[in-house]
């Protein structure tokens, strides 16, 4: 499998951190060209800082980190401190980053990188609201044809919603951005709640992480212990779902996931169902398919991969 050049667009977030660490630990499969931060789980000043904290935790201080949009395209920012804590990365005690934030705006970095590298070679990996990606598409429509693929975490069909009864957080925060991305014509692979809610960090899986006895695995286990409280209380499940690393795991081992190529439309009008991903899973409309919408995952295979790779850092 050729190494994939990717840009991670993210709002860390403990599960974003897991996704970034998995990518940075997997240079045989993934080359991280840059990390672009967006407002989401917490405001932008924290997400860009957290992205640098995670790079430093991984010992990869040469990865460029950029700050992007600080608010959704047409709405006020909704954050999720109730899940991720005040900093977004609550759990372990990690030092403030020393590596600098790049001066260039994240959206300009995305556009320039896609224009500069050969067409069809860059994969965008959004792990938060789609504001940066949609803004890049709006400002530079020529990049659409040059992107190899977008692999994103967002949306839900069978699991419906987590931030509202009808919507998943990343899509709900910026539904206008999501609509632009899903209508763009770029090849899209989606990791919805239908998949991520099967990837549960049970006590055995956290123990396997801690048993690696490395600073990175310890930090990851501390992050999981923190945010798990919220989700296990909410769902009454054996462990919390680990959403975002499904994106980077897919780039390494796509065979862990299965889904359907279907039409996905974004609700942008209704107050009741705002941000809903209306996926035509059963093929009951004649709307043109626009996304590979994942539905199932080999959860133990996923955790074996995550633990083995994070232990490498
Ligand atoms: C998504 O929302 C955020 O809280 C997580 O980081 C993940 O990207 C799950 O709905
Ligand atoms: Ca996220």
């Amino acid at each position: 499998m050729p190494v994939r050049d990717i840009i991670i667009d993210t709002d860390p977030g403990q599960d974003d951190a897991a996704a970034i660490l998995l990518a940075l630990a997997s240079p045989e499969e993934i080359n991280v060209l840059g990390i672009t931060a967006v407002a989401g789980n917490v405001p932008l000043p924290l997400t860009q800082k957290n992205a640098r904290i995670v790079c430093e935790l991984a010992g990869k201080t040469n990865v460029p980190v950029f700050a992007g949009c600080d608010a959704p395209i047409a709405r006020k920012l909704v954050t999720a401190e109730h899940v991720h804590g005040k900093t977004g990365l609550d759990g372990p005690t990690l030092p403030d980053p020393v590596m600098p934030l790049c001066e260039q705006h994240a959206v300009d970095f995305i556009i320039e990188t896609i224009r500069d590298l050969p067409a069809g070679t860059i994969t965008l990996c959004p792990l938060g609201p789609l504001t940066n990606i949609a803004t890049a598409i709006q400002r530079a429509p020529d990049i659409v044809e040059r992107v190899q693929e977008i692999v994103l975490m967002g949306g839900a069909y069978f699991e419906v919603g987590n931030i509202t009864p009808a919507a998943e957080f990343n899509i709900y925060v910026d539904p206008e951005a999501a609509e632009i991305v899903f209508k763009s014509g770029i090849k899209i692979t989606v990791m919805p709640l239908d998949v991520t809610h099967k990837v549960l960090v049970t006590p055995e899986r956290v123990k396997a992480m801690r048993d690696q006895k490395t600073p990175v695995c310890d930090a990851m286990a501390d992050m999981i212990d923190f945010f798990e409280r919220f989700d296990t209380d909410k769902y009454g499940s054996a462990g919390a779902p680990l959403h975002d690393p499904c994106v980077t795991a897919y780039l390494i081992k796509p065979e862990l996931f299965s889904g359907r190529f279907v039409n996905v439309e974004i609700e942008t009008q209704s107050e009741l169902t705002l941000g809903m991903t209306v996926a035509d899973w059963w093929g009951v409309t004649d709307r043109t398919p626009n996304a590979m919408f994942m539905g199932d995952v080999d959860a133990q295979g996923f955790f074996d991969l995550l633990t083995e790779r994070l232990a490498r850092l």
Side-chain angles (χ1 to χ4, degrees):
M1 197 163 63
V3 181
R4 276 173 88 146
D5 286 334
I6 73 166
I7 296 173
I8 300 179
D9 189 69
T10 177
D11 62 338
Q14 293 90 348
D15 62 321
D16 300 71
I20 295 167
L21 292 169
L22 179 56
L24 295 177
S26 307
E28 297 91 350
E29 295 92 358
I30 298 174
N31 176 36
V32 182
L33 299 168
I35 298 180
T36 53
V38 68
N41 286 324
V42 285
L44 185 68
L46 287 170
T47 58
Q48 57 88 348
K49 179 179 167 190
N50 290 347
R52 290 181 292 137
I53 290 175
V54 174
C55 289
E56 290 193 4
L57 174 64
K60 308 280 183 189
T61 51
N62 54 342
V63 177
V65 175
F66 304 83
C69 301
D70 62 3
I73 287 179
R75 293 173 193 274
K76 276 176 96 172
L77 178 64
V78 175
T79 53
E81 285 88 354
H82 60 294
V83 183
H84 300 276
K86 210 158 57 108
T87 67
L89 273 192
D90 279 19
T93 308
L94 296 169
D96 277 352
V98 178
M99 63 184 276
L101 179 69
C102 297
E103 275 181 23
Q104 192 179 26
H105 193 281
V107 171
D108 294 327
F109 169 74
I110 292 169
I111 294 170
E112 269 182 29
T113 309
I114 294 170
R115 282 179 176 164
D116 286 353
L117 291 185
T121 61
I122 296 182
T123 298
L124 301 176
C125 299
L127 310 175
L130 289 157
T131 321
N132 285 344
I133 307 296
T135 306
I137 292 171
Q138 273 186 324
R139 276 200 215 150
D142 57 290
I143 64 172
V144 163
E145 289 199 335
R146 302 182 65 85
V147 175
Q148 180 181 354
E149 185 176 359
I150 293 177
V151 184
L152 67 89
M153 190 280 135
Y157 179 66
F158 294 98
E159 292 286 311
V160 197
N162 58 0
I163 187 73
T164 75
E168 181 280 329
F169 179 78
N170 290 340
I171 306 295
Y172 175 78
V173 172
D174 199 341
E176 283 74 19
E179 185 177 43
I180 290 168
V181 169
F182 277 84
K183 284 196 185 314
S184 69
I186 297 173
K187 180 181 177 194
I188 299 177
T189 296
V190 184
M191 294 294 162
L193 297 180
D194 308 333
V195 165
T196 68
H197 279 186
K198 291 175 179 152
V199 176
L200 300 177
V201 275
T202 59
E204 299 75 38
R205 288 168 178 164
V206 188
K207 181 174 179 307
M209 186 71 75
R210 280 204 193 282
D211 284 350
Q212 304 305 310
K213 301 201 186 318
T214 68
V216 170
C217 288
D218 268 350
M220 194 65 245
D222 288 348
M223 289 187 213
I224 290 170
D225 281 347
F226 177 85
F227 76 79
E228 191 172 51
R229 269 172 263 157
F230 172 80
D231 279 317
T232 45
D233 286 356
K234 179 174 164 193
Y235 296 113
S237 54
L242 202 50
H243 308 281
D244 293 339
C246 289
V247 166
T248 41
Y250 174 75
L251 300 179
I252 301 166
K253 277 198 164 185
E255 64 274 17
L256 292 174
F257 301 88
S258 59
R260 294 185 184 183
F261 186 54
V262 297
N263 175 270
V264 181
E265 303 285 332
I266 310 296
E267 176 57 61
T268 60
Q269 303 298 317
S270 156
E271 277 308 310
L272 188 63
T273 58
L274 187 70
M276 188 171 197
T277 44
V278 182
D280 189 7
W281 184 262
W282 300 112
V284 292
T285 75
D286 56 6
R287 295 197 283 258
T288 310
N290 59 348
M292 184 68 194
F293 203 81
M294 292 303 177
D296 215 345
V297 55
D298 169 0
Q300 193 52 48
F302 167 87
F303 276 101
D304 290 347
L305 175 71
L306 183 70
T307 308
E308 181 255 316
R309 293 298 169 101
L310 262 53
R312 291 181 181 182
L313 289 169

